Amino acid sequence: MKSSATTSVATRCGRVLRLLGHLAVGVFIIATRYSRLAQAERAVVTRRWAQHALKILGVSIKVQGINPGFYPPNTLLVANHVSWLDIIALNSCTVSRFVAKREIRDWPLIGWLAYVAGTLFIDRGNRRDASRVNQILAEAMQNGGCMAVFPEATTSDGSGLLPFKASLFEAALLAGGTVQPVSLRYQRPDGSLLLEAAYIDEISLLQSMGKVLSVPEIEVEICYGKPLKAGDAGLDNRFLLAEAARAEVARGLRLALEAPAAAASQATSETGA
């Protein structure tokens, strides 16, 4: 049964103040020494920062499946997209560099933080930009990186799963890497779906943060699906990889999908990254 309990004004204000302080710490680290750290050291710092941010927000993590490691090499992590919290939740377990829409680069402070932390920005209105990003992704993966994308290309309320855009799965094929499907489900302690976490429709980031701050306890179930080796039989093109990854994410969300579409059909109907 859905709970109607909300946090007090004092609790929300306390969370905001602590979160601002924690954000200031992150800005200081990135501005002063983050670029000088080795990748493994960056991963440790990022995971610790993410874990503490979730603690401030009253968010706990429940892991299902086998975590591939806190920074698995030559890996493309793909997940469903629900909230701005997704990146923090994922980084608290498996640290990745993310691909984000170009508009985020222009966000005050957050855009700069994302850029300095290694986020790649893609112009989703330009299909040709996917080729550029794929080359960068593949090179980073071959150099031992763990990269992450949200192939739905937008957020949902978490109750379903949108079609996956196949474009950026090409990077895994170019790198000869592994695609790691991950399912994200926001729920209350009793297991019921938590819609307040969804960053959807026309609400602003501040409005979305207000909704999250109003919830006493949030549980994020992170389910790691079966790793998919790009190039293996049945996974030798980006459309088959996207289809297999979506099936794994749906399984983690306990959703039933429609019958898989043929790869050729997907190729002709795909409209973006």
Side-chain angles (χ1 to χ4, degrees), residues 198-230:
Y199 184 26
I200 55 174
D201 301 325
E202 300 301 319
I203 65 172
S204 67
L205 180 60
L206 287 178
Q207 288 173 321
S208 178
M209 291 183 69
K211 286 187 175 184
V212 168
L213 291 169
S214 72
V215 181
E217 294 179 82
I218 297 175
E219 183 176 273
V220 185
E221 184 178 86
I222 298 180
C223 182
Y224 293 94
K226 180 179 70 175
L228 307 170
K229 177 61 177 175

Side-chain angles (χ1 to χ4, degrees), residues 232-269:
D232 278 358
L235 300 172
D236 53 1
N237 68 58
R238 65 181 185 270
F239 304 104
L240 292 173
L241 268 175
E243 188 175 273
R246 184 168 182 256
E248 280 297 304
V249 172
R251 184 180 63 81
L253 294 173
R254 300 181 288 279
L255 296 174
L257 293 181
E258 70 280 0
S265 175
Q266 287 183 321
T268 58
S269 63

Side-chain angles (χ1 to χ4, degrees), residues 53-72:
L54 293 179
K55 184 177 180 181
I56 291 172
L57 292 168
V59 178
S60 62
I61 300 293
K62 179 181 179 182
V63 176
Q64 304 280 1
I66 300 175
N67 187 333
F70 83 99
Y71 193 74

Side-chain angles (χ1 to χ4, degrees), residues 170-194:
E170 186 68 27
L173 291 165
L174 293 173
T178 298
V179 174
Q180 175 61 65
V182 184
S183 308
L184 295 169
R185 187 178 194 274
Y186 290 83
Q187 57 193 31
R188 300 178 188 277
D190 64 2
S192 59
L193 189 67
L194 181 72

Side-chain angles (χ1 to χ4, degrees), residues 55-94:
K55 184 177 180 181
I56 291 172
L57 292 168
V59 178
S60 62
I61 300 293
K62 179 181 179 182
V63 176
Q64 304 280 1
I66 300 175
N67 187 333
F70 83 99
Y71 193 74
N74 202 3
T75 297
L76 182 67
L77 186 150
V78 299
N80 60 306
H81 200 9
V82 178
S83 173
W84 51 271
L85 275 171
D86 295 349
I87 293 175
I88 303 175
L90 288 169
N91 273 339
S92 73
C93 296
T94 302

